[in-house]
């Protein structure tokens, strides 16, 4: 039984857990690591588990409510659109409920926003609704105007979310400022996922206040416990 003085914190913890995509994307990850990530996601009551497409299909417990997210064009985004589309479609065929695709960041930096939009459209066509499509824009590598332009491309192409980061780019991960810029750009028409460098509950809650509704975390247990995670996808 939760003590009365801790009941509010417990409620917030449950709400926070349901905003988390528990993420395991280490290149050196082994099958046993993925199985542990799935078990931990189930135990923590998070929304989804996010894995590399090569790890699909996942074995989930009978009756599990856990959603499965797979990345696409990850982490560089430097893949032909047809390859991204095929990867996304295969992942869905293997059980993915949601796809997190990476844009061609170089195209965005060149101002070729129409190419970014075409790339997203190709993936959207390959994985139509009800599959959820999140578009990773690598916000730390972009200035505010480019973030706004790329968010517009994602919206025009039919994406459901814009997402800050892969967590692998040297420019860094999510920031409150980037989430705020993205929220102003998409209003309430698209959702926002913050990921990359979120290591504490304070960080997580700041992202939600700024306008994110989903969080990509590899240190989900530590964050939910109010501790500082050692890794920060």
């Amino acid at each position: 039984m939760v003590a009365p003085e801790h009941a509010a914190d417990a409620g917030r913890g449950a709400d926070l857990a349901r905003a988390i995509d528990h993420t395991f994307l280490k290149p050196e990850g082994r099958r046993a690591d993925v199985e542990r990530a799935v078990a931990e996601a189930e135990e923590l009551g998070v929304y989804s588990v996010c894995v590399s497409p090569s790890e699909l299909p996942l074995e989930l417990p009978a009756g599990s409510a856990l959603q499965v997210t797979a990345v696409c064009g990850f982490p560089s985004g430097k893949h032909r659109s047809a390859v991204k589309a095929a990867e996304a479609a295969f992942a869905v065929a293997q059980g993915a409920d949601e796809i997190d695709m990476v844009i061609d960041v170089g195209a965005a930096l060149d101002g070729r926003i129409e190419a970014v939009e075409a790339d997203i459209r190709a993936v959207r066509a390959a994985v139509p609704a009800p599959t959820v499509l999140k578009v990773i824009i690598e916000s730390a590598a972009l200035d505010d105007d480019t973030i706004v332009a790329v968010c517009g491309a994602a919206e025009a192409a039919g994406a459901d979310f814009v997402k800050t980061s892969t967590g692998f780019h040297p420019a860094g991960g999510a920031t409150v400022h980037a989430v705020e810029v993205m929220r102003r750009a998409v209003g309430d028409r698209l959702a926002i996922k913050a990921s990359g460098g979120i290591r504490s509950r304070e960080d997580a809650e700041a992202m939600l206040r700024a306008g994110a509704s989903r969080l990509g975390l590899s240190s989900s247990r530590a964050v939910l416990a109010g501790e500082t995670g050692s890794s920060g996808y």
Side-chain angles (χ1 to χ4, degrees):
M1 180 175 179
V2 179
E5 63 270 23
H6 297 306
D9 283 344
R12 287 197 298 271
D15 290 343
L16 179 56
R18 293 301 295 166
I20 293 173
D21 290 346
H22 183 55
T23 302
F24 185 80
L25 294 169
K26 291 183 178 179
E28 70 275 19
R30 302 171 71 173
R31 191 63 186 179
D33 298 320
V34 175
E35 291 170 354
R36 280 191 290 272
V38 171
E40 187 171 41
E42 286 281 358
E43 178 189 348
L44 296 174
V46 300
Y47 186 81
S48 88
V49 61
C50 180
V51 299
S52 301
S54 59
E55 302 297 348
L56 300 174
L58 299 179
E59 292 187 16
L60 302 180
S64 173
L66 186 67
Q67 298 290 289
V68 175
T69 300
V71 293
C72 169
F74 195 90
S76 73
K78 289 292 190 179
H79 307 66
R80 293 287 188 183
S81 296
V83 173
K84 292 181 186 180
E87 183 178 38
F90 186 76
V92 171
Q94 293 293 303
D97 302 293
E98 305 193 350
I99 296 294
D100 288 17
M101 70 164 289
V102 188
I103 67 164
D104 182 339
V105 179
L109 291 171
D110 280 343
R112 292 185 288 119
I113 304 303
E114 71 287 349
V116 175
E117 181 179 332
D119 192 39
I120 301 166
R121 282 188 184 278
V123 177
R124 176 81 282 181
V127 291
T131 300
V132 172
L133 178 60
K134 309 190 201 84
V135 176
I136 306 173
I137 70 170
E138 217 65 276
S139 57
L142 308 178
D143 62 27
D144 289 0
D145 288 344
T146 307
I147 289 174
V148 170
V150 171
C151 286
E155 181 176 359
D160 301 293
F161 278 73
V162 282
K163 174 179 169 182
T164 60
S165 323
T166 61
F168 284 72
H169 198 283
T175 65
V176 166
H177 174 74
V179 172
E180 290 172 342
V181 172
M182 293 162 72
R183 175 52 66 204
R184 289 195 294 270
V186 302
D188 59 2
R189 301 178 301 279
L190 271 66
I192 295 171
K193 177 176 173 179
S195 64
I198 303 172
R199 296 183 174 87
S200 69
R201 184 162 182 157
E202 181 181 14
D203 290 341
E205 291 180 343
M207 298 298 170
L208 296 177
R209 287 193 299 271
S213 56
R214 197 81 67 82
L215 304 170
L217 304 179
S218 55
S219 295
S220 304
R221 185 182 298 278
V223 168
L224 289 169
E227 301 168 356
T228 300
S230 59
S231 57
Y233 165 83

Short mmCIF file of all heavy atoms in Angstrom, two decimals, residues 125-185:
data_model
loop_
_atom_site.label_atom_id
_atom_site.label_comp_id
_atom_site.label_asym_id
_atom_site.label_seq_id
_atom_site.Cartn_x
_atom_site.Cartn_y
_atom_site.Cartn_z
N ALA A 125 4.13 5.95 -46.80
CA ALA A 125 3.39 5.14 -47.76
C ALA A 125 3.60 3.65 -47.51
O ALA A 125 2.70 2.83 -47.72
CB ALA A 125 3.80 5.49 -49.19
N ALA A 126 4.79 3.30 -47.05
CA ALA A 126 5.12 1.90 -46.80
C ALA A 126 4.50 1.39 -45.51
O ALA A 126 4.25 0.18 -45.37
CB ALA A 126 6.64 1.72 -46.76
N VAL A 127 4.25 2.30 -44.55
CA VAL A 127 3.68 1.90 -43.26
C VAL A 127 2.53 2.83 -42.91
O VAL A 127 2.63 3.69 -42.04
CB VAL A 127 4.74 1.85 -42.14
CG1 VAL A 127 5.71 0.72 -42.36
CG2 VAL A 127 5.52 3.17 -42.04
N PRO A 128 1.41 2.68 -43.59
CA PRO A 128 0.27 3.56 -43.33
C PRO A 128 -0.33 3.31 -41.95
O PRO A 128 0.00 2.33 -41.28
CB PRO A 128 -0.71 3.18 -44.44
CG PRO A 128 -0.36 1.78 -44.82
CD PRO A 128 1.12 1.68 -44.64
N ALA A 129 -1.21 4.21 -41.53
CA ALA A 129 -1.93 4.04 -40.27
C ALA A 129 -2.62 2.67 -40.29
O ALA A 129 -3.04 2.19 -41.35
CB ALA A 129 -2.96 5.15 -40.11
N PRO A 130 -2.68 1.99 -39.13
CA PRO A 130 -2.48 2.53 -37.78
C PRO A 130 -1.05 2.52 -37.27
O PRO A 130 -0.82 2.87 -36.11
CB PRO A 130 -3.34 1.60 -36.92
CG PRO A 130 -3.24 0.29 -37.61
CD PRO A 130 -3.23 0.60 -39.08
N THR A 131 -0.07 2.12 -38.10
CA THR A 131 1.31 2.22 -37.64
C THR A 131 1.64 3.68 -37.33
O THR A 131 1.35 4.57 -38.12
CB THR A 131 2.28 1.71 -38.72
OG1 THR A 131 1.97 0.33 -38.99
CG2 THR A 131 3.72 1.82 -38.26
N VAL A 132 2.25 3.90 -36.19
CA VAL A 132 2.65 5.26 -35.78
C VAL A 132 4.03 5.56 -36.37
O VAL A 132 4.96 4.76 -36.21
CB VAL A 132 2.67 5.39 -34.25
CG1 VAL A 132 3.28 6.73 -33.82
CG2 VAL A 132 1.26 5.24 -33.69
N LEU A 133 4.15 6.70 -37.04
CA LEU A 133 5.43 7.10 -37.64
C LEU A 133 5.98 8.31 -36.90
O LEU A 133 5.35 9.37 -36.86
CB LEU A 133 5.24 7.44 -39.12
CG LEU A 133 6.50 7.92 -39.85
CD1 LEU A 133 7.60 6.87 -39.81
CD2 LEU A 133 6.16 8.31 -41.29
N LYS A 134 7.19 8.14 -36.34
CA LYS A 134 7.90 9.23 -35.69
C LYS A 134 9.10 9.59 -36.55
O LYS A 134 9.81 8.71 -37.05
CB LYS A 134 8.37 8.82 -34.29
CG LYS A 134 7.30 8.21 -33.40
CD LYS A 134 7.82 8.09 -31.97
CE LYS A 134 7.06 7.07 -31.17
NZ LYS A 134 7.57 5.70 -31.37
N VAL A 135 9.34 10.89 -36.70
CA VAL A 135 10.41 11.38 -37.58
C VAL A 135 11.50 12.01 -36.73
O VAL A 135 11.29 13.03 -36.07
CB VAL A 135 9.86 12.40 -38.59
CG1 VAL A 135 10.99 12.99 -39.43
CG2 VAL A 135 8.81 11.74 -39.48
N ILE A 136 12.68 11.39 -36.74
CA ILE A 136 13.83 11.87 -35.96
C ILE A 136 14.54 12.94 -36.77
O ILE A 136 15.07 12.67 -37.84
CB ILE A 136 14.80 10.73 -35.63
CG1 ILE A 136 14.07 9.56 -34.95
CG2 ILE A 136 15.94 11.24 -34.75
CD1 ILE A 136 14.94 8.32 -34.73
N ILE A 137 14.58 14.16 -36.21
CA ILE A 137 15.12 15.29 -36.98
C ILE A 137 16.55 15.67 -36.59
O ILE A 137 17.15 16.50 -37.24
CB ILE A 137 14.20 16.52 -36.87
CG1 ILE A 137 14.24 17.13 -35.46
CG2 ILE A 137 12.78 16.16 -37.26
CD1 ILE A 137 13.55 18.48 -35.35
N GLU A 138 17.08 15.08 -35.54
CA GLU A 138 18.42 15.41 -35.02
C GLU A 138 18.51 16.90 -34.72
O GLU A 138 19.31 17.66 -35.29
CB GLU A 138 19.49 14.96 -36.00
CG GLU A 138 20.74 14.42 -35.36
CD GLU A 138 20.53 13.13 -34.55
OE1 GLU A 138 20.13 13.23 -33.36
OE2 GLU A 138 20.79 12.05 -35.08
N SER A 139 17.66 17.34 -33.80
CA SER A 139 17.48 18.77 -33.53
C SER A 139 18.74 19.48 -33.09
O SER A 139 18.91 20.68 -33.37
CB SER A 139 16.37 18.97 -32.48
OG SER A 139 16.67 18.27 -31.29
N ALA A 140 19.65 18.79 -32.40
CA ALA A 140 20.87 19.45 -31.93
C ALA A 140 21.77 19.88 -33.07
O ALA A 140 22.63 20.75 -32.89
CB ALA A 140 21.63 18.53 -30.98
N ALA A 141 21.60 19.29 -34.24
CA ALA A 141 22.42 19.64 -35.40
C ALA A 141 21.80 20.73 -36.26
O ALA A 141 22.42 21.17 -37.24
CB ALA A 141 22.66 18.39 -36.26
N LEU A 142 20.59 21.19 -35.90
CA LEU A 142 19.85 22.15 -36.73
C LEU A 142 19.63 23.46 -35.99
O LEU A 142 19.49 23.47 -34.77
CB LEU A 142 18.48 21.56 -37.10
CG LEU A 142 18.46 20.16 -37.72
CD1 LEU A 142 17.02 19.73 -37.98
CD2 LEU A 142 19.27 20.12 -39.02
N ASP A 143 19.54 24.56 -36.75
CA ASP A 143 19.13 25.81 -36.12
C ASP A 143 17.60 25.84 -36.04
O ASP A 143 16.91 24.97 -36.59
CB ASP A 143 19.69 27.03 -36.85
CG ASP A 143 19.22 27.15 -38.30
OD1 ASP A 143 18.12 26.65 -38.64
OD2 ASP A 143 19.95 27.77 -39.10
N ASP A 144 17.08 26.83 -35.33
CA ASP A 144 15.64 26.86 -35.07
C ASP A 144 14.83 26.93 -36.36
O ASP A 144 13.79 26.26 -36.49
CB ASP A 144 15.28 28.04 -34.17
CG ASP A 144 15.75 27.86 -32.74
OD1 ASP A 144 16.37 26.81 -32.43
OD2 ASP A 144 15.49 28.77 -31.92
N ASP A 145 15.27 27.73 -37.32
CA ASP A 145 14.51 27.85 -38.56
C ASP A 145 14.44 26.52 -39.30
O ASP A 145 13.40 26.17 -39.89
CB ASP A 145 15.14 28.92 -39.47
CG ASP A 145 14.92 30.34 -38.96
OD1 ASP A 145 14.03 30.52 -38.09
OD2 ASP A 145 15.63 31.24 -39.42
N THR A 146 15.54 25.79 -39.28
CA THR A 146 15.56 24.49 -39.96
C THR A 146 14.70 23.48 -39.21
O THR A 146 14.02 22.65 -39.82
CB THR A 146 17.00 23.99 -40.13
OG1 THR A 146 17.78 25.01 -40.75
CG2 THR A 146 17.04 22.75 -40.99
N ILE A 147 14.72 23.53 -37.88
CA ILE A 147 13.83 22.67 -37.10
C ILE A 147 12.39 22.90 -37.51
O ILE A 147 11.62 21.96 -37.74
CB ILE A 147 14.01 22.92 -35.59
CG1 ILE A 147 15.36 22.38 -35.12
CG2 ILE A 147 12.87 22.28 -34.79
CD1 ILE A 147 15.68 22.71 -33.67
N VAL A 148 12.00 24.16 -37.61
CA VAL A 148 10.62 24.50 -37.99
C VAL A 148 10.31 23.97 -39.39
O VAL A 148 9.24 23.38 -39.63
CB VAL A 148 10.39 26.02 -37.90
CG1 VAL A 148 9.05 26.40 -38.52
CG2 VAL A 148 10.48 26.49 -36.46
N ALA A 149 11.24 24.15 -40.31
CA ALA A 149 11.01 23.70 -41.69
C ALA A 149 10.88 22.18 -41.76
O ALA A 149 10.00 21.66 -42.47
CB ALA A 149 12.16 24.17 -42.58
N VAL A 150 11.72 21.47 -41.04
CA VAL A 150 11.67 20.01 -41.06
C VAL A 150 10.40 19.50 -40.38
O VAL A 150 9.78 18.53 -40.84
CB VAL A 150 12.93 19.43 -40.40
CG1 VAL A 150 12.81 17.93 -40.20
CG2 VAL A 150 14.16 19.73 -41.25
N CYS A 151 9.98 20.15 -39.32
CA CYS A 151 8.72 19.79 -38.68
C CYS A 151 7.56 19.97 -39.66
O CYS A 151 6.64 19.14 -39.71
CB CYS A 151 8.48 20.61 -37.42
SG CYS A 151 9.51 20.14 -36.00
N GLY A 152 7.61 21.04 -40.45
CA GLY A 152 6.58 21.26 -41.46
C GLY A 152 6.58 20.16 -42.51
O GLY A 152 5.52 19.71 -42.95
N ALA A 153 7.76 19.70 -42.89
CA ALA A 153 7.86 18.61 -43.86
C ALA A 153 7.27 17.32 -43.29
O ALA A 153 6.57 16.59 -43.99
CB ALA A 153 9.32 18.40 -44.25
N ALA A 154 7.57 17.06 -42.02
CA ALA A 154 7.03 15.85 -41.37
C ALA A 154 5.50 15.90 -41.32
O ALA A 154 4.83 14.90 -41.59
CB ALA A 154 7.61 15.71 -39.97
N GLU A 155 4.98 17.06 -40.99
CA GLU A 155 3.52 17.20 -40.93
C GLU A 155 2.91 17.02 -42.32
O GLU A 155 1.92 16.28 -42.48
CB GLU A 155 3.15 18.57 -40.36
CG GLU A 155 1.66 18.79 -40.24
CD GLU A 155 1.29 20.10 -39.59
OE1 GLU A 155 2.19 20.88 -39.20
OE2 GLU A 155 0.06 20.35 -39.48
N ALA A 156 3.49 17.65 -43.32
CA ALA A 156 2.95 17.56 -44.68
C ALA A 156 3.00 16.13 -45.21
O ALA A 156 2.14 15.72 -46.01
CB ALA A 156 3.73 18.49 -45.61
N ALA A 157 4.00 15.36 -44.76
CA ALA A 157 4.17 13.99 -45.24
C ALA A 157 3.32 12.98 -44.47
O ALA A 157 3.33 11.79 -44.81
CB ALA A 157 5.64 13.60 -45.15
N GLY A 158 2.62 13.43 -43.44
CA GLY A 158 1.70 12.54 -42.75
C GLY A 158 2.25 11.84 -41.53
O GLY A 158 1.68 10.84 -41.08
N ALA A 159 3.35 12.34 -40.98
CA ALA A 159 3.91 11.73 -39.77
C ALA A 159 3.00 11.98 -38.57
O ALA A 159 2.18 12.92 -38.57
CB ALA A 159 5.30 12.29 -39.49
N ASP A 160 3.16 11.16 -37.56
CA ASP A 160 2.39 11.30 -36.33
C ASP A 160 3.16 12.06 -35.25
O ASP A 160 2.55 12.72 -34.41
CB ASP A 160 2.01 9.92 -35.78
CG ASP A 160 1.19 9.13 -36.77
OD1 ASP A 160 0.05 9.53 -37.04
OD2 ASP A 160 1.70 8.11 -37.30
N PHE A 161 4.49 11.91 -35.25
CA PHE A 161 5.37 12.53 -34.25
C PHE A 161 6.55 13.17 -34.96
O PHE A 161 6.99 12.69 -36.02
CB PHE A 161 5.99 11.47 -33.33
CG PHE A 161 5.18 10.98 -32.18
CD1 PHE A 161 4.10 10.13 -32.38
CD2 PHE A 161 5.53 11.33 -30.87
CE1 PHE A 161 3.38 9.63 -31.31
CE2 PHE A 161 4.81 10.83 -29.79
CZ PHE A 161 3.73 9.98 -30.01
N VAL A 162 7.12 14.18 -34.34
CA VAL A 162 8.50 14.58 -34.62
C VAL A 162 9.30 14.27 -33.36
O VAL A 162 8.81 14.44 -32.24
CB VAL A 162 8.63 16.06 -35.02
CG1 VAL A 162 8.21 16.25 -36.46
CG2 VAL A 162 7.82 16.98 -34.11
N LYS A 163 10.51 13.83 -33.57
CA LYS A 163 11.35 13.33 -32.47
C LYS A 163 12.69 14.05 -32.52
O LYS A 163 13.25 14.25 -33.60
CB LYS A 163 11.53 11.82 -32.62
CG LYS A 163 12.49 11.17 -31.63
CD LYS A 163 12.54 9.66 -31.87
CE LYS A 163 13.68 9.01 -31.10
NZ LYS A 163 13.76 7.56 -31.35
N THR A 164 13.22 14.40 -31.36
CA THR A 164 14.42 15.24 -31.33
C THR A 164 15.65 14.57 -31.90
O THR A 164 16.36 15.16 -32.72
CB THR A 164 14.74 15.69 -29.90
OG1 THR A 164 14.96 14.54 -29.07
CG2 THR A 164 13.62 16.54 -29.32
N SER A 165 15.96 13.34 -31.49
CA SER A 165 17.33 12.85 -31.65
C SER A 165 17.42 11.34 -31.73
O SER A 165 16.56 10.62 -31.22
CB SER A 165 18.19 13.29 -30.44
OG SER A 165 17.85 14.58 -30.00
N THR A 166 18.52 10.88 -32.34
CA THR A 166 18.85 9.46 -32.29
C THR A 166 19.52 9.09 -30.97
O THR A 166 19.49 7.93 -30.55
CB THR A 166 19.81 9.07 -33.42
OG1 THR A 166 21.03 9.83 -33.27
CG2 THR A 166 19.21 9.34 -34.79
N GLY A 167 20.18 10.07 -30.35
CA GLY A 167 21.01 9.77 -29.20
C GLY A 167 22.42 9.37 -29.57
O GLY A 167 23.27 9.13 -28.71
N PHE A 168 22.70 9.32 -30.88
CA PHE A 168 24.03 8.90 -31.36
C PHE A 168 24.79 10.04 -32.03
O PHE A 168 25.95 9.88 -32.39
CB PHE A 168 23.88 7.75 -32.38
CG PHE A 168 23.57 6.42 -31.76
CD1 PHE A 168 22.33 6.16 -31.22
CD2 PHE A 168 24.52 5.42 -31.70
CE1 PHE A 168 22.02 4.94 -30.65
CE2 PHE A 168 24.24 4.19 -31.13
CZ PHE A 168 22.99 3.94 -30.60
N HIS A 169 24.18 11.19 -32.25
CA HIS A 169 24.83 12.28 -32.98
C HIS A 169 25.76 13.06 -32.06
O HIS A 169 25.41 13.36 -30.91
CB HIS A 169 23.78 13.22 -33.57
CG HIS A 169 24.30 14.09 -34.66
ND1 HIS A 169 25.08 15.21 -34.42
CD2 HIS A 169 24.16 14.01 -36.01
CE1 HIS A 169 25.41 15.77 -35.57
NE2 HIS A 169 24.86 15.07 -36.54
N PRO A 170 26.96 13.40 -32.55
CA PRO A 170 27.91 14.13 -31.69
C PRO A 170 27.42 15.52 -31.27
O PRO A 170 27.93 16.08 -30.29
CB PRO A 170 29.18 14.23 -32.54
CG PRO A 170 28.73 13.99 -33.95
CD PRO A 170 27.57 13.05 -33.85
N ALA A 171 26.45 16.09 -31.99
CA ALA A 171 25.94 17.40 -31.60
C ALA A 171 25.12 17.36 -30.32
O ALA A 171 24.91 18.40 -29.69
CB ALA A 171 25.08 17.98 -32.73
N GLY A 172 24.67 16.18 -29.93
CA GLY A 172 23.93 16.06 -28.67
C GLY A 172 22.53 15.54 -28.87
O GLY A 172 22.13 15.16 -29.98
N GLY A 173 21.77 15.54 -27.77
CA GLY A 173 20.42 14.99 -27.78
C GLY A 173 19.36 16.04 -27.56
O GLY A 173 19.47 17.17 -28.03
N ALA A 174 18.34 15.66 -26.81
CA ALA A 174 17.18 16.53 -26.60
C ALA A 174 17.52 17.71 -25.71
O ALA A 174 18.33 17.60 -24.78
CB ALA A 174 16.05 15.73 -25.98
N THR A 175 16.89 18.83 -25.98
CA THR A 175 16.94 20.00 -25.10
C THR A 175 15.53 20.53 -24.94
O THR A 175 14.68 20.35 -25.83
CB THR A 175 17.83 21.13 -25.65
OG1 THR A 175 17.25 21.64 -26.86
CG2 THR A 175 19.25 20.64 -25.91
N VAL A 176 15.30 21.20 -23.82
CA VAL A 176 13.99 21.83 -23.61
C VAL A 176 13.72 22.84 -24.71
O VAL A 176 12.60 22.93 -25.24
CB VAL A 176 13.95 22.47 -22.21
CG1 VAL A 176 12.77 23.43 -22.09
CG2 VAL A 176 13.88 21.40 -21.13
N HIS A 177 14.74 23.61 -25.08
CA HIS A 177 14.54 24.63 -26.12
C HIS A 177 14.08 23.99 -27.42
O HIS A 177 13.14 24.49 -28.08
CB HIS A 177 15.84 25.40 -26.36
CG HIS A 177 15.75 26.36 -27.50
ND1 HIS A 177 15.05 27.55 -27.43
CD2 HIS A 177 16.24 26.28 -28.79
CE1 HIS A 177 15.13 28.18 -28.58
NE2 HIS A 177 15.83 27.43 -29.43
N ALA A 178 14.72 22.89 -27.83
CA ALA A 178 14.33 22.25 -29.09
C ALA A 178 12.89 21.75 -29.03
O ALA A 178 12.13 21.90 -30.00
CB ALA A 178 15.27 21.10 -29.41
N VAL A 179 12.50 21.16 -27.91
CA VAL A 179 11.13 20.68 -27.77
C VAL A 179 10.15 21.85 -27.86
O VAL A 179 9.10 21.74 -28.50
CB VAL A 179 10.95 19.90 -26.46
CG1 VAL A 179 9.49 19.56 -26.21
CG2 VAL A 179 11.79 18.63 -26.47
N GLU A 180 10.50 22.96 -27.24
CA GLU A 180 9.62 24.14 -27.31
C GLU A 180 9.48 24.64 -28.75
O GLU A 180 8.37 25.00 -29.19
CB GLU A 180 10.16 25.23 -26.41
CG GLU A 180 10.02 24.91 -24.92
CD GLU A 180 10.72 25.92 -24.03
OE1 GLU A 180 11.60 26.68 -24.54
OE2 GLU A 180 10.41 25.94 -22.82
N VAL A 181 10.59 24.68 -29.48
CA VAL A 181 10.54 25.11 -30.88
C VAL A 181 9.67 24.16 -31.70
O VAL A 181 8.83 24.59 -32.51
CB VAL A 181 11.96 25.20 -31.47
CG1 VAL A 181 11.90 25.46 -32.98
CG2 VAL A 181 12.76 26.30 -30.79
N MET A 182 9.84 22.88 -31.48
CA MET A 182 9.06 21.88 -32.20
C MET A 182 7.58 21.99 -31.87
O MET A 182 6.72 21.89 -32.76
CB MET A 182 9.60 20.48 -31.87
CG MET A 182 11.01 20.25 -32.42
SD MET A 182 11.88 18.85 -31.65
CE MET A 182 11.01 17.47 -32.35
N ARG A 183 7.26 22.23 -30.61
CA ARG A 183 5.86 22.35 -30.22
C ARG A 183 5.21 23.56 -30.89
O ARG A 183 4.08 23.50 -31.37
CB ARG A 183 5.74 22.45 -28.70
CG ARG A 183 4.34 22.71 -28.16
CD ARG A 183 3.31 21.75 -28.72
NE ARG A 183 3.55 20.38 -28.28
CZ ARG A 183 3.13 19.31 -28.94
NH1 ARG A 183 2.48 19.44 -30.08
NH2 ARG A 183 3.38 18.10 -28.48
N ARG A 184 5.95 24.68 -30.93
CA ARG A 184 5.39 25.85 -31.62
C ARG A 184 5.18 25.57 -33.10
O ARG A 184 4.22 26.06 -33.71
CB ARG A 184 6.31 27.06 -31.42
CG ARG A 184 6.30 27.62 -30.00
CD ARG A 184 6.92 29.00 -29.96
NE ARG A 184 8.35 28.99 -30.28
CZ ARG A 184 9.32 28.83 -29.39
NH1 ARG A 184 9.03 28.66 -28.11
NH2 ARG A 184 10.59 28.85 -29.77
N ALA A 185 6.08 24.78 -33.67
CA ALA A 185 5.99 24.50 -35.11
C ALA A 185 4.80 23.60 -35.45
O ALA A 185 4.14 23.82 -36.48
CB ALA A 185 7.28 23.84 -35.59
#
